[in-house]
Amino acid sequence: MDNYSLSVGVIVIKDSKVLLVKHNYGSANGKYLNPGGFLKDGELPEEAAVREVFEETGVKISPVGMIAVRCRSNEWYMVFKADYVEGEPCANTEENDEALFMDIDEALSNPLVTDTAKTLIQTALCGKVIPAVDCRKNRWMYSVDNLA
């Protein structure tokens, strides 16, 4: 079961290109954005990130750390930067009409790429991530300092 108040997004950069999907529903219908989605019950954010990218694009990734969090009083959206592992992007026609690696400069200037995706791409390009620290008992902490 999806948890509609907890969601993740992912920025994947490969060879100066960023992985994007073109949504076919909702407020982003017809626009490009980074892959992502809701957590399932009992799922950790990084697990959801890996699953959502694969479900939406067929691409396998490895998260390297968190780059942003957007919060409201009743929900949060955590965004990860991830390394490309393998796979060629292909559309998941339930959610998107297209999945592709788009040149970063093109993505940043393309009016069909959402402003949120552009901001997240620029954030990922800064090269800073907040890594996960294993706190045991299936708990993870994201900290700007290395606590390990």
Side-chain angles (χ1 to χ4, degrees):
M1 173 178 285
D2 287 338
N3 187 333
Y4 293 105
S5 61
L6 310 176
S7 59
V8 295
V10 185
I11 298 294
V12 182
I13 296 175
K14 174 189 171 203
D15 301 328
S16 299
K17 295 181 179 186
V18 62
L19 182 62
L20 298 173
V21 294
K22 188 175 185 182
H23 260 218
N24 60 14
Y25 71 96
S27 62
N29 186 15
K31 296 192 175 189
Y32 292 96
L33 62 157
N34 54 292
F38 299 109
L39 276 69
K40 295 191 179 293
D41 283 343
E43 189 174 44
L44 291 168
E46 284 193 19
E47 294 168 339
V50 171
R51 177 185 51 76
E52 283 288 344
V53 170
F54 186 74
E55 287 177 2
E56 291 186 13
T57 70
V59 171
K60 292 184 180 179
I61 60 151
S62 177
V64 294
M66 181 180 63
I67 61 170
V69 177
R70 180 183 67 204
C71 299
R72 293 185 185 170
S73 62
N74 61 345
E75 67 183 55
W76 55 256
Y77 172 66
M78 182 182 287
V79 183
F80 294 93
K81 182 176 181 183
D83 287 337
Y84 167 84
V85 175
E86 66 181 4
E88 289 298 319
C90 59
N92 166 346
T93 55
E94 292 177 21
E95 297 182 44
N96 59 68
D97 291 328
E98 188 176 4
L100 74 159
F101 278 104
M102 184 183 287
D103 180 80
I104 290 171
D105 290 335
E106 178 186 348
L108 293 174
S109 64
N110 189 326
L112 292 179
V113 175
T114 66
D115 290 339
T116 298
K118 289 177 182 179
T119 299
L120 293 172
I121 294 165
Q122 290 170 325
T123 301
L125 291 172
C126 290
K128 298 176 185 174
V129 299
I130 302 172
V133 176
D134 186 352
C135 295
R136 297 181 192 80
K137 298 182 183 178
N138 205 29
R139 296 180 297 178
W140 293 85
M141 179 181 297
Y142 294 86
S143 175
V144 293
D145 290 323
N146 183 357
L147 303 174

